[in-house]
Amino acid sequence: MIKLLWAERQKLRRSNIVWITIFAAVMAAVIVFAGGLDVYEGPDVQYGLKAVHDGVRLIDNPGWYMDEVQPWATFFVLPAVIALLGSYMICREEQEDTMKSLRLIPVDEAKLTIAKMMITFLFSILLYLLLFAITFLIEAVLHFSDLSAALVMGSLKEYFLDGVGVFLAVSPIIALVSRMKKGYWLALVYTEIYSFAGLLAGMSNILKNYYPIMAVFNLSGYHITTVGNILKSTVVLLLCGCFSVFILRGLPHREH
């Protein structure tokens, strides 16, 4: 398995798709920063350790930027590119016609698929940690002295668990697209629709605990909610992961 993970990592180093996903994360951070230059007009809002004050640019409120990048990146960007990466890794041998060569050597294709999903899982976490690093750097430049250790560590935990949760949420789409074998770019389209629908699900007090993309925010602690709701969301995401395993088990694999 270690050799398979190393091999998949080497393949990704030669692929432009990694740079596409990183570029997407950076652009999400840039767009939210641009939106934060607007002055907030309204009553002061306090949410946990974060606050927004009237008459102040949004970006000048400590913690606002780290807080706001999470939902925008999750609803519109990162799940789609993570699903694209995962389906690309699984489908590339078939679509680039290298599977025939792989079958000439003693490679367990089931273990190869597991390695690809593990790499996608790690990449999902690293991508969210990259986003945290970007947002923390901007926050530190703007108002380092106003950032508390609790706020920074809390945000780090949220971004880390966002990476875990988003992978689980999109894993069924990765598996389905891989099973369909009609083009890994379909994962980008399907996941974008799936993620955007999370905005609508968030309007329902029931669906926001069960819809996978919204469940990510309960798991990570981005939403301040009850332990019961966190457990419900965690179960939903774990079921997504189990469903993807069930689908991937149906792929034609040749064992050695």
Side-chain angles (χ1 to χ4, degrees):
M1 181 59 72
I2 294 177
K3 289 183 179 179
L4 291 175
L5 290 171
W6 178 85
E8 290 303 316
R9 176 178 171 273
Q10 293 300 108
K11 291 178 189 176
L12 280 182
R13 288 182 62 184
R14 300 191 297 268
S15 174
N16 290 330
I17 201 166
V18 173
W19 297 110
I20 292 173
T21 56
I22 292 174
F23 175 76
V26 172
M27 285 305 300
V30 170
I31 291 170
V32 174
F33 180 85
L37 297 178
D38 291 338
V39 175
Y40 173 72
E41 296 180 359
D44 290 358
V45 177
Q46 183 79 36
Y47 188 74
L49 297 173
K50 307 144 192 169
V52 177
H53 301 285
D54 180 36
V56 178
R57 291 190 311 173
L58 291 167
I59 198 69
D60 290 330
N61 292 280
W64 176 89
Y65 187 54
M66 286 191 293
D67 186 66
E68 199 69 16
V69 167
Q70 290 186 60
W72 284 98
T74 300
F75 286 130
F76 297 106
V77 182
L78 295 193
V81 295
I82 290 167
L84 174 65
L85 176 74
S87 58
Y88 165 75
M89 291 180 66
I90 296 175
C91 296
R92 63 181 296 176
E93 276 82 13
E94 289 284 351
Q95 298 200 357
E96 296 176 5
D97 202 27
T98 58
M99 184 58 75
K100 294 177 183 177
S101 300
L102 281 176
R103 285 173 177 159
L104 296 176
I105 57 178
V107 174
D108 187 325
E109 293 172 26
K111 289 184 178 180
L112 184 61
T113 301
I114 293 172
K116 292 173 187 290
M117 291 297 283
M118 289 176 65
I119 291 291
T120 306
F121 172 66
L122 292 174
F123 192 83
S124 177
I125 294 175
L126 290 175
L127 199 58
Y128 269 93
L129 291 180
L130 170 65
L131 204 58
F132 168 78
I134 294 171
T135 57
F136 172 70
L137 180 62
I138 298 298
E139 291 270 11
V141 169
L142 292 175
H143 28 64
F144 181 79
S145 60
D146 295 322
L147 294 175
S148 66
L151 176 61
V152 174
M153 296 307 296
S155 295
L156 176 59
K157 182 209 74 171
E158 290 172 11
Y159 275 90
F160 175 82
L161 291 177
D162 281 341
V164 174
V166 165
F167 168 78
L168 292 173
V170 303
S171 60
I173 295 180
I174 296 174
L176 284 169
V177 171
S178 302
R179 183 77 177 268
M180 292 165 57
K181 296 181 179 179
K182 292 185 178 180
Y184 54 83
W185 284 99
L186 287 175
L188 182 69
V189 177
Y190 294 157
T191 310
E192 197 63 41
I193 298 170
Y194 173 62
S195 300
F196 183 75
L199 289 172
L200 302 178
M203 299 177 185
S204 168
N205 289 330
I206 297 176
L207 287 179
K208 69 181 182 180
N209 296 321
Y210 295 101
Y211 191 79
I213 293 297
M214 292 301 299
V216 169
F217 297 123
N218 283 350
L219 171 69
S220 69
Y222 177 80
H223 284 166
I224 299 175
T225 187
T226 64
V227 174
N229 287 337
I230 294 173
L231 290 175
K232 292 174 188 175
S233 297
T234 302
V235 170
V236 166
L237 292 171
L238 290 175
L239 287 175
C240 286
C242 292
F243 185 46
S244 67
V245 171
F246 176 77
I247 297 170
L248 289 172
R249 281 174 62 88
L251 289 176
H253 290 140
R254 180 179 62 91
E255 296 184 358
H256 292 268

